[in-house]
Amino acid sequence: DAKTTQPNSMESNEEEPVHLPCNHSTISGTDYIHWYRQLPSQGPEYVIHGLTSNVNNRMASLAIAEDRKSSTLILHRATLRDAAVYYCILRDNNAGNMLTFGGGTRLMVKP
Amino acid sequence: GAGVSQSPRYKVAKRGQDVALRCDPISGHVSLFWYQQALGQGPEFLTYFQNEAQLDKSGLPSDRFFAERPEGSVSTLKIQRTQQEDSAVYLCASSSNFRGMNTEAFFGQGTRLTVV
């Protein structure tokens, strides 16, 4: 699987937007971009995924660069419950089925 | 239950003891995955089932690790002769798409194994 690069940690203030970046310069045409998050003492939780176009759901938005070499997960209004490790994952539609997690970004939200 | 259920939540094993970890996936989910997560690290893939067939076991770290899903629903991860390096959280996930591709994976809360 192609690799992703994320900052180790980020801080945000409560009720402010958060932009979590992910670089994936070796992405292939069949790779989907997935985001999962893991709250303390919980299993990972699906957030959003996309291929080329920007995507929105009730949890977040995913902005994908035109060349697909980077993407940004956007939390529109951070809450204390959004404090978690966020993982950006590339998943090849033509290859194995597993999710390959990297180190992720630990998001801290300050009240 | 509505989600993926794992048991036990916590397990303490003496070095050399065998352990069995159980995963109840969401009913009807075809794909089932096991992951191992060391403290402070991201989850690492262990093995994948499509129904009862184990299609990928490339992530199992040694022949002491064995997983099964005999009826295509509940799965068990067995670790024989546990070692201290086996201490980790073991996560199970399931998804509905038969290839598990690009569909949401649902994770359980994990089993924290401590080998003493």
Side-chain angles (χ1 to χ4, degrees), chain A residues 32 34 36 38 41-46 49 87 91-103, chain B residues 9 33 35 37 41-43 45 48 56 58 91 95 98-109:
Chain A
Y32 281 73
H34 287 246
Y36 280 73
Q38 189 170 23
S41 301
Q42 301 291 321
E45 171 188 35
Y46 170 83
H49 79 277
Y87 296 99
R91 208 172 181 195
D92 186 343
N93 204 35
N94 292 327
N97 296 280
M98 79 290 288
L99 295 162
T100 302
F101 291 82
Chain B
R9 283 294 314 277
F33 308 83
Y35 288 82
Q37 186 170 25
Q41 306 294 317
F45 170 78
Y48 161 67
D56 188 340
S58 61
L91 294 161
S95 65
F98 91 97
R99 281 181 60 86
M101 294 306 299
N102 295 305
T103 57
E104 179 178 356
F106 294 84
F107 283 80
Q109 289 189 298

Side-chain angles (χ1 to χ4, degrees), chain B residues 5-66:
Chain B
S5 178
Q6 293 187 246
S7 60
R9 283 294 314 277
Y10 303 93
K11 175 69 179 178
V12 178
K14 292 185 178 179
R15 190 161 56 93
Q17 184 180 351
D18 297 350
V19 298
L21 312 179
R22 177 186 170 107
C23 173
D24 284 81
I26 292 173
S27 178
H29 276 193
V30 170
S31 300
L32 186 145
F33 308 83
W34 282 99
Y35 288 82
Q36 179 190 59
Q37 186 170 25
L39 190 64
Q41 306 294 317
E44 292 196 358
F45 170 78
L46 293 177
T47 186
Y48 161 67
F49 289 86
Q50 178 184 313
N51 294 308
E52 68 278 5
Q54 189 175 21
L55 298 186
D56 188 340
K57 51 182 181 180
S58 61
L60 296 177
S62 78
D63 59 7
R64 295 186 295 103
F65 286 71
F66 172 77

Side-chain angles (χ1 to χ4, degrees), chain A residues 12-88:
Chain A
S12 171
N13 293 317
E14 196 176 11
E15 298 189 4
E16 290 186 356
V18 181
H19 290 231
L20 297 164
C22 181
N23 288 324
H24 29 79
S25 58
T26 59
I27 191 170
S28 73
T30 54
D31 282 332
Y32 281 73
I33 302 160
H34 287 246
W35 283 82
Y36 280 73
R37 72 179 186 180
Q38 189 170 23
L39 279 65
S41 301
Q42 301 291 321
E45 171 188 35
Y46 170 83
V47 178
I48 200 166
H49 79 277
L51 183 63
T52 56
S53 303
N54 295 343
V55 184
N56 299 296
N57 67 21
R58 63 174 179 80
M59 287 182 72
S61 296
L62 177 59
I64 302 172
E66 197 170 331
D67 63 5
R68 299 211 323 127
K69 293 187 177 182
S70 66
S71 61
T72 302
L73 179 71
I74 302 165
L75 307 179
H76 296 286
R77 280 185 74 195
T79 70
L80 297 178
R81 290 177 297 175
D82 291 323
V85 178
Y86 287 78
Y87 296 99
C88 170

Side-chain angles (χ1 to χ4, degrees), chain B residues 13-16 64 81-88 90 113-116:
Chain B
K14 292 185 178 179
R15 190 161 56 93
R64 295 186 295 103
R81 305 181 303 282
T82 53
Q83 304 295 314
Q84 283 192 318
E85 62 262 28
D86 299 335
S87 295
Y90 291 85
L113 173 66
T114 304
V115 181
V116 297

